[in-house]
Amino acid sequence: MSSTQLVVVGGGPGGYAAAFYAADLGLSVALVDTELNPGGVCVYRGCIPSKALLHVAKLIDESRHAKAWGIEFTEPKIDLDKLREFKNNVVKRLTTGTGQLGKARKVNYIQGFAELLDAKSLRIKKTDGSEETLTFEHCILATGSTPAIPPMLKVDDPRVMDSTGALDLPDIPKTMLVVGGGYIGLELGSVYATLGSAVTVVEMTPGLLPGADRDLVDILARRIKTLMKAVLLNTRVTKMVAAKEGIRVTFEGEGVKDGQTEQVFDRVLVSVGRRPNAKMPGLDRTRVKVNERGFIEVDEQLRTAEPTIFAIGDVVGEPMLAHKASHEGRVAVEVIAGENAAFHPQAIPAVVFTDPELAWAGLTESQAEKEGRAIAVAKFPWGASGRAVTLDRTDGLTKLILDPTTERILGVGLVGPGAGELIAEGVLAIEMGANATDLKLSIHPHPTLTETMMESAEVFFGQATHVYRPKR
Ligand SMILES: Cc1cc2nc3c(=O)[nH]c(=O)nc-3n(C[C@H](O)[C@H](O)[C@H](O)COP(=O)(O)OP(=O)(O)OC[C@H]3O[C@@H](n4cnc5c(N)ncnc54)[C@H](O)[C@@H]3O)c2cc1C
């Protein structure tokens, strides 16, 4: 039996960030995960491989649009094996890197599956077949999440995939159904559509990306509609059966036209959400509580009801995002190290890496409406951005949500190419308590899309250089 000051279960962006930080602070740390190296869902089968594929999809898309700029490419030949290899190499490079970073810090990385024995020890069934029992002063559970597949959409057939299966890129199906109009479905659906599949997206709510402001989503939806074969809103899948000719899917709702309730697809991607991995064996031997939504319950310091055990990342709640997990990991470590830290961000950015990208942080307009909160909204359309015009991408919008009295920036929403990078300025502005004047007076480089942030602050004062508003 060996002992450690801290053991982290789960080597995703939450777990490895926590383990590395704890080692930097001088704690003895063990990190347990079933994979060869740290990385978790994010690096092995989430954020990273999906973005590698989206990068390639964007290139294909641009090559098709280049004709309008006077350059004509022939239709790209797609070598799926090479594409898969590129994506796998990206994953390998990053996971090898995290492995090396852990080793350099003397983090004891144990490849295996952990089971809690009590509030002070756990047993690891190692991948090499052996077992190890470890006692700890503190434990951080960072066990993440897995795709949620409702029983009705569970079909035991390889043609029905979750996000992990879709990232494997088994082929480019002629037809594909994406069940769920959230960010994972739209990102992966965009990859397949750009590679040549006729993709249908079905979403049971009235709009794509529930949660994001509609004016932003509308701009993305326009492009998605041209990329996909069909987008069926207010429509649900009621039945899915594997047949010889494909997956036979029955629909109900507004998307059903001319009584055609049934369609057959070569492949189906089910991306209707993720469920937390809160059923870790042995958890019932501790006082850790799981709430009615299936998440491990924690307070602002990421403490569970068991004083020695903390939990972070997807397993403790929404938003299920890598950067939220990492930040929580660092807070938990600081608390364990005796600091009076808490997880209390003003803004957690969310990015949809479609084309155009969509991003927001802090208060949204719809949230403010729901809360009956008085806000001011300043919008800068990218048609007025010199940089957007040079890129031939004026399908963008930058908007600020402000406190009308203090002029403080409470939220930022963006849609357009590169929105995922631009949102970081919004996060900083919100976290620093910046107001519209701060943003207006900060000189932004020209010609860049970042100017849209500055000019939306100018819009707030009715003084934007590139937007003329007649005086009332
Ligand atoms: C297709 C896709 C795209 C995504 N894109 C983005 C994106 O662009 N940006 C973003 O921020 N987020 C994205 N996400 C979400 C992101 O991957 C997660 O929010 C993030 O990985 C959560 O990190 P985590 O540390 O909580 O756990 P995870 O990354 O889920 O890692 C948990 C790890 O714990 C291991 N584990 C679980 N139980 C045990 C046990 N008992 N013993 C040992 N090991 C165990 C698991 O095997 C896993 O490796 C995406 C997800 C998917 C599926």
Side-chain angles (χ1 to χ4, degrees):
M1 188 183 308
S2 43
S3 71
T4 185
Q5 282 176 298
L6 173 68
V7 60
V8 181
V9 180
Y16 81 74
F20 291 4
Y21 188 33
D24 289 343
L25 295 183
L27 300 185
S28 65
V29 184
L31 175 61
V32 189
D33 195 286
T34 47
E35 299 284 353
L36 180 64
N37 279 307
V41 168
C42 175
V43 190
Y44 280 98
R45 45 192 179 277
C47 329
I48 295 296
S50 59
K51 268 78 241 177
L53 295 179
L54 280 159
H55 166 67
V56 175
K58 182 142 197 228
L59 183 74
I60 296 173
D61 203 43
E62 292 222 318
S63 75
R64 284 178 184 146
H65 280 90
K67 196 174 169 186
W69 311 325
I71 300 170
E72 201 165 341
F73 293 97
T74 50
E75 203 35 37
K77 256 197 228 150
I78 293 156
D79 180 337
L80 258 196
D81 291 332
K82 268 228 170 102
L83 178 53
R84 227 179 276 122
E85 194 184 314
F86 162 66
K87 175 210 52 154
N88 292 342
N89 282 341
V90 169
V91 170
K92 194 165 172 205
R93 179 172 171 176
L94 289 175
T95 51
T96 310
T98 49
Q100 284 163 351
L101 286 168
K103 261 192 206 126
R105 290 176 160 95
K106 308 218 167 4
V107 169
N108 175 19
Y109 186 73
I110 307 171
Q111 194 188 357
F113 190 79
E115 172 189 0
L116 279 161
L117 296 175
D118 53 41
K120 286 195 166 164
S121 64
L122 49 74
R123 180 168 49 220
I124 302 148
K125 286 192 184 116
K126 292 207 220 173
T127 313
D128 65 12
S130 64
E131 281 196 359
E132 180 173 342
T133 303
L134 198 59
T135 60
F136 55 81
E137 287 170 24
H138 288 104
C139 172
I140 297 179
L141 301 177
T143 50
S145 63
T146 30
I149 313 279
M152 203 236 306
L153 300 178
K154 242 184 211 143
V155 178
D156 191 14
D157 188 293
R159 292 170 297 179
V160 178
M161 315 176 285
D162 59 17
S163 57
T164 309
L167 284 168
D168 284 343
L169 271 188
D171 56 12
I172 304 170
K174 274 209 175 69
T175 59
M176 180 172 180
L177 174 70
V178 175
V179 187
Y183 83 94
I184 293 179
L186 292 186
E187 286 184 5
L188 293 177
S190 296
V191 168
Y192 277 87
T194 310
L195 292 178
S197 300
V199 177
T200 299
V201 177
V202 58
E203 164 59 45
M204 65 180 194
T205 71
L208 299 172
L209 297 171
D213 277 342
R214 291 303 95 188
D215 51 353
L216 303 176
V217 175
D218 286 348
I219 292 173
L220 169 63
R222 276 201 286 278
R223 198 163 166 107
I224 289 282
K225 267 186 204 147
T226 62
L227 181 65
M228 308 292 183
K229 183 178 165 237
V231 178
L232 315 176
L233 300 174
N234 266 328
T235 308
R236 58 172 72 230
V237 171
T238 54
K239 202 170 156 196
M240 225 158 64
V241 182
K244 196 165 159 245
E245 68 278 17
I247 305 297
R248 195 178 286 281
V249 182
T250 312
F251 299 98
E252 180 188 279
E254 276 177 20
V256 175
K257 298 277 178 280
D258 308 321
Q260 201 197 338
T261 54
E262 213 179 87
Q263 287 188 52
V264 177
F265 297 90
D266 294 335
R267 283 192 179 270
V268 176
L269 161 61
V270 181
S271 52
V272 295
R274 298 184 60 81
R275 73 179 159 72
N277 292 333
K279 288 191 177 146
M280 180 182 172
L283 207 61
D284 52 349
R285 297 182 196 125
T286 70
R287 283 175 282 182
V288 175
K289 283 199 190 102
V290 174
N291 66 23
E292 67 290 344
R293 295 187 54 219
F295 293 109
I296 292 182
E297 246 177 51
V298 287
D299 64 13
E300 268 198 343
Q301 294 196 306
L302 289 320
R303 294 175 188 275
T304 68
E306 182 65 70
T308 53
I309 301 180
F310 289 65
I312 59 166
D314 283 9
V315 78
V316 301
E318 303 278 359
M320 291 196 189
L321 292 170
H323 41 277
K324 187 216 73 158
S326 312
H327 192 81
E328 285 177 336
R330 293 178 70 89
V331 169
V333 166
E334 285 181 353
V335 175
I336 289 167
E339 302 267 336
N340 189 20
F343 181 77
H344 196 61
Q346 299 299 307
I348 303 175
V351 181
V352 186
F353 289 85
T354 40
D355 185 20
E357 293 178 357
L358 192 150
W360 70 95
L363 188 68
T364 62
E365 205 175 337
S366 46
Q367 208 180 325
E369 244 164 53
K370 250 185 238 152
E371 292 169 9
R373 200 166 160 179
I375 51 159
V377 178
K379 296 185 191 182
F380 184 83
W382 285 22
S385 152
R387 185 59 178 144
V389 176
T390 64
L391 297 170
D392 197 13
R393 290 302 300 267
T394 50
D395 51 335
L397 179 72
T398 299
K399 81 170 181 178
L400 304 179
I401 316 288
L402 304 116
D403 182 314
T405 320
T406 63
E407 300 171 4
R408 200 169 154 162
I409 297 155
L410 305 173
V412 177
L414 284 152
V415 61
E421 306 285 338
L422 295 175
I423 196 66
E425 181 179 356
V427 176
L428 187 67
I430 298 166
E431 286 289 351
M432 298 297 287
N435 62 21
T437 303
D438 294 322
L439 207 52
K440 183 181 91 160
L441 293 183
S442 304
I443 301 177
H444 286 63
H446 178 73
T448 64
L449 296 170
T450 67
E451 288 170 294
T452 68
M453 293 286 289
M454 177 182 69
E455 286 220 42
S456 48
E458 293 175 354
V459 166
F460 173 71
F461 295 106
Q463 304 162 346
T465 308
H466 297 99
V467 179
Y468 174 66
R469 297 245 187 284
K471 288 207 169 41
R472 274 190 234 155

